[in-house]
Amino acid sequence: MKPEDMLSAAMRFGFQKLYFCDPSTTAGVPSGIQSLVLLLKPYLPWDAEIDAFYIADNVAYHDAKSMAAFFSASREPAVLLPQVNYKMICSALPPFRQGKNTLHYHHPFGSYFCLQLIGLYSAIPFSFKAVSPSDVCGNCTLCADACPTGAIEQTGFARERCLRNHMLSGRPIPLEMRNAMGGRLLGCDVCQRVCPLNRGIIPAQCSMAFPLSRLLPPDDHELNRYTELIGTNYANANRLCAQAALAAGNRGDKSLLGPLKALKTHASEVIRTHAAWAVERITSE
Ligand code: SF4
Ligand code: SF4
C-alpha cells in the first residue's frame, strides 16, 4: 500500500494524523516489524464521572484494530500493538511535546487526543527524524499547583500519587487519596484543565449518565454497558463497585447508605474496605 493510501484509510477510520515512525525509538516491538504507524484521534473533554478520554480511547482502539485488518486485507500485513510504549515514540517526534504532567501535547489538540499504534512488516520512509525531547513548560507550575495529590513535583512526576494510577486498579485506594477522588469513577484531568497549552479548547457536554446507584454492585446489563464504553480492561464488576463506593462516600449521598451497608459483607476485601469508609464518611457528616 502507498503511504498516501494509508493516510486516506486513516481519515476514513476517523484518525486526524498519521506518522510513520522508526521502531527503534521505542521498546517491545515484535521482531519483523519494520515501520510503525502512529495514529492520532482528538476528542473533547467533558465534566462527568468518567473522563472523556477513556471512552474516546476505547473507540480509537477498535477503529485502529479494524484499520490493521483492512491493511492486512489489502496485502499490507499489519498488526495492532496496544502493549508498545507510544510515549517514547512521541517524545522523539517533533509535533509532540511532553509537559511536566507527563502528558504529550500536539497543536491544535492540546493534550486531548488518543493514540494507537500499528506495526507494518514493510519499510516505509519515516515521517520525521527522531529528536531529543524539548522543554515546553518553562517556569510554568500551574499543573503542579492544581494537582489535588501533589503528584507533579519539582523533581519529576510521582506516578504513585496520581489518581489515575489508582482508579479501577482493583487495589484499596490509599486512605490519604480517597477524598481527592471526589465523585469520579475513572480519570482526572485537573492538570490538563489548568494547562495553558490547552487554552482555547472548548469542553463538550457529556450526554451519558453514570448513576452510582447502578454500580453498587452492577448487574450484567450495567456491566455490559461499561464494557462497551471503556473496554474489558476497566469494566470489571468488582473494580467498578469499589470505585463507586468511594464516589458515593465523597458525595455524601445518604440515599446510597442501604446498598453501601450491604457491601460491607461483600466477598471482595477492596469493596468491603471502600464501602465501610463510605458509610463512615456519610454518617459522620
Ligand atoms: S491526573 Fe490528576 S492526580 Fe494525576 S497528576 Fe494530573 S491532576 Fe494530579
Ligand atoms: S500546566 Fe504548565 S507546567 Fe503543566 S504541563 Fe502545562 S505548561 Fe507544562
Side-chain angles (χ1 to χ4, degrees), residues 147-149 151-152 157 162-164 188 190-191:
C147 175
T149 52
I152 306 162
F157 186 70
C162 177
L163 295 177
R164 286 159 67 119
C188 164
V190 170
C191 55

Side-chain angles (χ1 to χ4, degrees), residues 51 54 100-103 143-144 146-152 157-159 161-165 167 177 180 184 187-194:
D51 196 291
Y54 294 90
K100 282 179 188 162
N101 55 2
T102 72
L103 295 171
C143 57
C147 175
T149 52
I152 306 162
F157 186 70
R159 186 174 147 78
R161 289 224 297 277
C162 177
L163 295 177
R164 286 159 67 119
N165 188 36
M167 284 163 162
M177 298 181 87
R184 302 181 191 95
C188 164
D189 68 349
V190 170
C191 55
Q192 296 178 78
R193 267 186 270 150
V194 299

Side-chain angles (χ1 to χ4, degrees), residues 25-235:
T25 49
T26 187
V29 178
S31 64
I33 298 290
Q34 298 199 42
S35 331
L36 296 175
V37 182
L38 185 70
L39 297 157
L40 180 151
K41 186 176 278 207
Y43 69 93
L44 290 175
W46 62 37
D47 192 14
E49 291 84 349
I50 294 192
D51 196 291
F53 167 79
Y54 294 90
I55 293 172
D57 195 49
N58 191 38
V59 172
Y61 166 79
H62 287 289
D63 287 343
K65 200 170 169 187
S66 302
M67 198 172 140
F70 171 75
F71 280 4
S72 296
S74 309
R75 288 189 283 175
E76 179 65 64
V79 59
L80 190 65
L81 300 172
Q83 310 300 340
V84 173
N85 183 345
Y86 57 70
K87 284 204 166 208
M88 286 170 74
I89 300 171
C90 292
S91 294
L93 266 190
F96 295 90
R97 292 286 181 273
Q98 192 168 24
K100 282 179 188 162
N101 55 2
T102 72
L103 295 171
H104 281 90
Y105 290 78
H106 185 308
H107 184 74
F109 316 114
S111 58
Y112 297 118
F113 55 82
C114 309
L115 295 171
Q116 293 293 325
L117 203 57
I118 288 176
L120 301 178
Y121 292 89
S122 58
I124 308 275
F126 303 139
S127 303
F128 292 97
K129 276 193 174 161
V131 294
S132 302
S134 63
D135 178 30
V136 70
C137 299
N139 294 328
C140 177
T141 59
L142 288 173
C143 57
D145 299 342
C147 175
T149 52
I152 306 162
E153 300 174 326
Q154 290 252 332
T155 47
F157 186 70
R159 186 174 147 78
E160 70 285 357
R161 289 224 297 277
C162 177
L163 295 177
R164 286 159 67 119
N165 188 36
H166 293 275
M167 284 163 162
L168 300 188
S169 65
R171 303 182 300 269
I173 307 282
L175 203 51
E176 68 280 7
M177 298 181 87
R178 291 180 192 168
N179 286 349
M181 292 271 171
R184 302 181 191 95
L185 290 171
L186 182 59
C188 164
D189 68 349
V190 170
C191 55
Q192 296 178 78
R193 267 186 270 150
V194 299
C195 180
L197 300 171
N198 280 331
R199 202 167 282 148
I201 294 174
I202 299 165
Q205 196 74 35
C206 178
S207 58
M208 284 171 266
F210 308 101
L212 299 181
S213 56
R214 295 205 197 144
L215 291 173
L216 297 171
D219 60 18
D220 286 349
H221 176 269
E222 199 65 358
L223 188 59
N224 288 340
R225 179 176 166 250
Y226 278 86
T227 303
E228 278 182 22
L229 285 175
I230 54 177
T232 46
N233 285 351
Y234 288 115

